[in-house]
Amino acid sequence: DPTAKIISPGILNWEFTCIGCSGPTMCDNVDGSGYRCGKLWVQEFISEYESRFGEKPPVDVWAIHTYPIDWDNTPNNSPLELASYKGASVKHDAIVIDQLESMRQYLNSNGYSETPMWIGEIAIHVGFDDWTYTNGSYSPVGVYHWENLSDYLSTILDWLEENGADKK
């Protein structure tokens, strides 16, 4: 079907992996352990495709899932529990916005300036005061902070509204 759209696999974040997980939390520190960041996957995908077929992958839409995974600062997005990110103390919504901006900059400078990005999934992982890990599963502890989730989503959705493709 020549009208079909080719959507890339949905990468998890761009150059950020996880706070409080084993291994590195940013792409620049990847040493083979921990979680692989989306930026490295996209770079390798484009490079491998170009080496095999002599052209950039014919991707119509780049997909990303944005999760500022952070087990150390709970509840997530609380102004009282700021995450350390790129040398600054920030709320989790700032991590998501930076990931989207960084991916867009990369795509713009690599031949995909007209190719849209789609957010396939967006979430916060720990809305409760804390968590426990017992017998292979996580369990929430304490109060669920709806106000943090509301602030998180409002900030990101407002940013998307202000910076969407139809606004540029």
Side-chain angles (χ1 to χ4, degrees), residues 1 7 14 23 37 45 53 59 71-72 82 87 90 104 109 125 130 134 141 154-155 161 163-164:
D1 180 354
I7 302 171
W14 180 244
C37 71
F45 170 70
F53 302 105
V59 174
W71 297 109
D72 291 347
L82 299 176
V90 300
R104 179 76 269 163
S109 64
H125 279 85
D130 207 349
T134 309
V141 175
S154 293
T155 300
E161 188 70 32
N163 294 280

Side-chain angles (χ1 to χ4, degrees), residues 66-68 74-79 91-93 96 122-128 143-158:
T66 57
Y67 295 91
T74 59
N76 290 169
N77 214 55
S78 168
K91 289 174 49 179
H92 293 87
D93 48 37
V96 170
I122 188 169
I124 251 182
H125 279 85
V126 186
F128 288 89
V143 174
Y144 189 83
H145 293 270
W146 291 101
E147 71 281 7
N148 293 342
L149 179 60
S150 175
D151 182 47
Y152 172 80
L153 288 175
S154 293
T155 300
I156 293 170
L157 294 175
D158 287 349

